[in-house]
Amino acid sequence: ASLPLLTERTLHPSQGVSGRDDSGEYRLGSTAFALTEPNQDAQTSGTLWLSHNGSALARFQLADELRATAAPALQQLAELGLRCHVLTGDPNPMADARLNALSLSGDYRSGLSPADKLSWLHQQQDKGLRIAMVGDGINDAPVLAGAPVSIALASGTDLAKQSSDALLLNDKLTVLA
């Protein structure tokens, strides 16, 4: 069996990608984006779906591991009097156990689009707060570009690195303090 040749390939920010062939539309992305009739089991955090005309073909379960230096870096930054926040595109509305273990001094916000992250930044600036952003993903690029100080990780996407003021040349977040 040969793979379909997809046309009309489109990137849908914060949702997924789509393309068409003679038999219809393929989508790869979030539950709401890919599936016409998602069931309760389909709406698991970290799940991507491949669908054809809205029906599931495959499910991919993704998981992120926290960087080993995340907890000590946040502790060091808090000791310097800095509030640290986590803004993520992950749709999980419940604070993940790994993040709870970090003892954040600021907010944990999930399910944010790139525009939501940028809006959060502007809200903080409107309050007179000085913000430095650290990020590594494509969805971080707008907020990195809009922040007064922004730092991308060397292991991050090219777009995140190009949108930042500085580049952390290693993945040791403790360097930030």
Side-chain angles (χ1 to χ4, degrees), residues 41-80:
D41 296 334
Q43 300 185 28
T44 305
S45 177
T47 301
L48 289 181
W49 290 92
L50 175 63
S51 68
H52 181 249
N53 295 329
S55 297
L57 294 177
R59 180 178 85 178
F60 304 92
Q61 191 65 42
L62 306 178
D64 275 332
E65 292 296 321
L66 287 179
R67 297 175 193 279
T69 57
L74 289 171
Q75 181 178 351
Q76 290 170 2
L77 292 168
E79 288 170 0
L80 292 172

Side-chain angles (χ1 to χ4, degrees), residues 12 18-21 23-27 33 51-54:
H12 306 267
S18 66
R20 301 187 70 75
D21 74 358
S23 66
E25 182 179 47
Y26 289 87
R27 288 184 172 206
F33 174 72
S51 68
H52 181 249
N53 295 329

